[in-house]
Amino acid sequence: MKPVMLNLLGLCLFATAPSTSHAAYTPSRREVLSHSAAAASSLATTAVSSPIVKPAFADEVVSTTSNESKVAVPTVKMGSLDVSRTIQGYWQLAGGHGKYKPEDAIANMRAHYNAGITTLDTADIYGPSEKIMGQFIAEEMAKGTKPPPIPNTKFCCFRFLDEIDKNEVKSRILSQIDRLKVPSLPLVQYFWYNYDVKKYVDVALMLTELKEQGLIQEIGATNFDLRRLKEMKDAGVPIVAHQVQMSALDRRPVQSGMADWCLENDVKLIAFGTVGSGILSEKYLSAPAPTQQQQNTSSMRMYSGTASRFGDWSLVQKLLRTMSDVAENVRSTGRCANANISNVAQRYVLDATPAVGSVLIGVRNQNHIEENVRTHEFTLTSSEVGAINDVVAKRKGPKGDVWDIERGYV
């Protein structure tokens, strides 16, 4: 059996596909822990410092009010859904991020919801994530919580692709409805592993039929390239969202032309990895690159690889210094008293690319709730975006379109 590489929505691992079942494959925790390290790229470990230079945007006159500060976390339309512009992500429940108790995960969901992050993200391959999220949804619905939390999920196809039929698609969707405790799935983000199996449009149309039957409210995609997005859209698949890895370190959705196409076709991008598992934060400013010991989660190993493709560590440091200067300018102009590098990194994704509807944060605890909400207290000026763009333009990669590297095309 030929090994296949899985890096689905950030889940980096190598696994050998079993030959007896067509059902969605859930990677074991052992597979996650033992194989994901092999996919990580090493980084140079020397931090490079340089004299502090006053940034060009420091004297710019800016408004002290934000068009997003009227509400803690604003929402954006994705089809019929009002999706929060920050989304709770629960890939971490699949393994590779340490032990947890389901009741603690539910408490995290509730705390983030109460802070205004009302949309959640899971997938059929994220271990018990859908089931745990379903318990949270059921508890909130029983209380009559308004607005109701929105549990987005994914429909992932990466083996026995040529044998998937309508019965399998419907059976799997009904199982997801049962696990999430909802009458219909709010947003199903569709993934297809191998483009050489040309059935991806057919299966997308099967999902469209289930939308027409009321089992799915909206259809999205995840980790497709632009060519295949166009094929599905042209075939009549009503895609309203596309979840992709996107940050200052990973500009593949922009450089491929995907972001422009999505804007023209009212497809909202949902960006994950916006702070690179904390690499884009004060923790790594004027500090060495993450050591092997620090790369102790699946997320950190993956985003360390992204940073190494972006350029050498001196370029990452230049990006961090620029973002730090921007954060200081945001603070000094009264737009956000506690703005930091991570806030600027998230705002860069939201402000530099109009097609982006929401950023997705990985949730393991409640430590960063206030920080993530704070991202919506301000916006970046064009000069601040330009300063970051100037550094990003010097990148070496990642090359290609969305998920080209992970599929082995680059």
Side-chain angles (χ1 to χ4, degrees), residues 79-272:
S80 61
L81 303 173
D82 292 312
V83 175
S84 53
R85 296 207 74 188
T86 295
I87 298 174
Q88 308 180 38
Y90 288 96
W91 165 42
Q92 283 73 7
L93 299 184
H97 292 84
K99 295 181 180 180
Y100 64 89
K101 296 178 181 179
E103 57 267 30
D104 292 339
I106 292 172
N108 291 338
M109 294 174 190
R110 182 164 292 116
H112 283 77
Y113 172 86
N114 289 338
I117 305 175
T118 56
T119 305
L120 301 84
D121 183 84
T122 182
D124 52 359
I125 65 164
Y126 290 0
S129 180
E130 283 185 327
K131 188 173 182 180
I132 294 171
M133 192 175 292
Q135 183 176 340
F136 166 70
I137 296 297
E139 292 174 3
E140 295 304 305
M141 293 301 94
K143 294 189 299 185
T145 300
K146 299 292 183 181
I150 300 175
N152 297 339
T153 191
K154 303 176 191 74
F155 185 87
C156 301
C157 304
F158 46 87
R159 53 185 62 194
F160 306 110
L161 300 177
D162 57 347
E163 299 178 28
I164 297 176
D165 59 17
K166 290 184 179 182
N167 289 334
E168 178 183 334
V169 173
K170 186 171 184 177
S171 176
R172 287 176 56 185
I173 291 294
L174 288 173
S175 294
Q176 291 180 273
I177 288 172
D178 181 65
R179 288 192 293 270
L180 284 168
K181 307 300 181 187
V182 291
S184 63
L185 299 177
L187 176 65
V188 174
Q189 298 156 103
Y190 167 51
F191 171 80
W192 188 267
Y193 175 68
N194 186 358
Y195 296 146
D196 291 336
V197 181
K198 302 296 185 182
K199 205 171 181 180
Y200 49 88
V201 173
D202 295 334
V203 174
L205 290 171
M206 295 175 195
L207 292 171
T208 302
E209 289 184 15
L210 297 183
K211 179 183 187 301
E212 294 167 353
Q213 295 173 22
L215 297 180
I216 298 170
Q217 294 179 50
E218 300 293 348
I219 295 175
T222 184
N223 288 336
F224 277 87
D225 63 12
L226 177 56
R227 173 183 166 186
R228 276 74 185 190
L229 274 183
K230 289 180 176 180
E231 287 180 20
M232 291 189 290
K233 194 77 169 177
D234 291 344
V237 181
I239 298 171
V240 301
H242 187 209
Q243 187 176 139
V244 295
Q245 182 179 333
M246 185 176 180
S247 68
L249 296 172
D250 189 342
R251 306 303 289 162
R252 288 180 289 179
V254 175
Q255 68 198 27
S256 66
M258 179 183 293
D260 289 340
W261 181 86
C262 286
L263 184 64
E264 294 170 359
N265 288 273
D266 199 21
V267 175
K268 298 295 192 300
L269 290 173
I270 298 173
F272 66 88

Side-chain angles (χ1 to χ4, degrees), residues 291-327:
T291 64
Q292 289 299 317
Q293 185 177 8
Q294 290 173 319
Q295 294 179 38
N296 58 0
T297 67
S298 297
S299 293
M300 180 54 81
R301 287 187 286 272
M302 182 181 72
Y303 294 120
S304 293
T306 299
S308 69
R309 294 185 184 101
F310 176 77
D312 60 31
W313 191 243
S314 64
L315 184 61
V316 176
Q317 283 297 304
K318 187 172 184 179
L319 177 63
L320 287 171
R321 288 194 298 272
T322 300
M323 288 184 166
S324 180
D325 289 341
V326 170

Side-chain angles (χ1 to χ4, degrees), residues 53-73:
V53 178
K54 186 177 182 181
F57 52 76
D59 296 320
E60 184 179 19
V61 177
V62 297
S63 170
T64 58
T65 59
S66 165
N67 61 5
E68 293 200 336
S69 63
K70 297 178 182 179
V71 291
V73 180

